[in-house]
Amino acid sequence: MSNLMTWVSACKIDDIEQEGALRFDHAGRTYAIYRGPDDSVYCTAGLCTHEAIHLAEGLVMDFEVECPKHSGAFDYRTGEALRLPACENLRTYPAEVIDGEVRVALG
Amino acid sequence: MGGIVIIGAGECGTRAAFALRKAGISDAITLVGSEPYLPYERPPLSKPVDGAVQLKPICGAQALEASAIDYLQGVSASRLETESRTVTLTDGRVLTYEKLLLAAGARTRRLTCRGAEHALAFRTYADAAAIFSHAEAGKSVAIVGGGLIGMELAAVLRSKRVAVNIIEAAPTPLGRAVPPRFAARLHARHVDEGVQFYLGRGIAEITDDAVYLADSGLVLADLVVAAIGVQPDMALAEAAGLATGNGVLVDHFLRTSNPDIFAAGDCAAISLSCGGHIRFESWRNARSQAETAARNMAGGNDAFVALPWFWSDQYDLGLQVAGLPQPAHQSVVRCLADGELEFYLDGGRLVAAAGLGVGNAIAKDIKLAEMLIAAGVDVDAAALGDPDVNLKTLLKSARAA
Ligand SMILES: Cc1cc2nc3c(=O)[nH]c(=O)nc-3n(C[C@H](O)[C@H](O)[C@H](O)COP(=O)(O)OP(=O)(O)OC[C@H]3O[C@@H](n4cnc5c(N)ncnc54)[C@H](O)[C@@H]3O)c2cc1C
Ligand code: FES
């Protein structure tokens, strides 16, 4: 394991609905990128920690994403699992917006 | 002495054990489970990933230990005595309780025709392992019962190129729990996938290689699975003299006719404010009733109010139903790119919603519909039917109003 992070350009902020999420695939892995109600952006691992279900299809309300399968929920800013059956936290990655472009630090 | 005893270590009993700790209970908690595994989830049994049957634990042994839950694996409670507050186990031990939770779930209904013993049941990990060990490409399976479990099993078997026949006594499959619109869609999809249906047909006899239909005709099958529904497991409650009906009868607080005994999950029938009792057979209900029962066993006074909700996966399609749709409701359909939603209104109020779509296409909207239902507001039918109106916007304006 190296802890080298690489910044990758992922999408435009306007590609993501406000209070919404978008799937982003990179180097054989999948992620979810979120746009908060205040237009801040965040990035987490794409799949729920309960089963391999993509969170980008989940409902985003405030800073919470709900898994579309069994309603497990996470705080997408910290990755914290908020509601069962999800009990393992999600991995998070740094994200930023520069000139309308969303970049995420993966690694 | 005393402490809490939970009978049944399925979704409900296991969830309740953890919820009791969360509610601040520090007494001993004993979880008695008749199956010889760690507590596991049932839904994945009919939804194997990569074709393999999975035993997906609800929690690990460490989690049980960390919460000081004494899990008695592979042991059954054989007798309950309310006077002495004791539970006798099959290994001879006798437990004393201060409060007891019945979470014994349900067991499969058995066929009564001649040769019924040839049919396998489908409820436990052991059942799933037995069924799938026979499910090789080219073989032929007859499933008796076209309900959710039978249809999910059919979809999995088709993906393994097993020939599937569904024999159903009713004129259509999925008639009990699924709104007609989506039952018809799913039925059509199974027909497209090559499932052979025998509808409105009873069974006369099962042999080791065929099912004989009541009004002549037979279905050849290497394996027969009975998926004709479940019955609440209330043997202990009945013998102990607790009130039972279509399940162990409980009030809104999930208390049985004995104030120190609670029941929840598939085995419990909860009283309705309009009279009668209703029993649910779904995963989320097992979890949420467990949580309410635990809070009340810890001294709380919470009425159980959750909206019924279940999902089913068949082929690449996902179904979700929230609330209890009734034929008398006004129906409003919303078409999406990858699926369809149906909303059910009662006198202008949204009371239920269902959806069927590819993968999780309808999940977000069903969740928003649940929140709209919980808000208890009148919703504009035209807006519900218009896919360009975001349900989140409707919810926000309903909440602001
Ligand atoms: C194949 C399958 C697929 C399903 N798919 C879905 C789905 O997609 N969506 C959905 O919403 N629901 C689904 N369900 C239903 C869901 O699994 C049940 O509603 C849920 O498991 C009920 O939980 P429970 O704890 O109340 O009962 P159970 O899961 O039945 O658990 C009760 C446990 O108690 C044990 N027990 C009984 N009596 C005793 C005793 N005297 N002493 C000790 N132990 C005892 C039983 O052996 C059992 O292990 C499915 C069910 C099956 C079988
Ligand atoms: S897959 Fe996310 S909660 Fe189950």
Side-chain angles (χ1 to χ4, degrees), chain A residues 11-18 20-22 33-35 102:
Chain A
C11 60
K12 298 245 180 334
I13 182 146
D14 291 336
D15 296 340
I16 319 174
E17 207 180 297
Q18 199 180 38
L22 189 74
I33 300 178
Y34 309 84
R35 174 172 171 186
V102 178

Side-chain angles (χ1 to χ4, degrees), chain B residues 363-378:
Chain B
K364 227 191 278 187
D365 285 333
I366 291 290
K367 184 66 208 186
L368 287 163
E370 275 186 68
M371 295 187 199
L372 278 166
I373 295 169
V377 290
D378 283 355

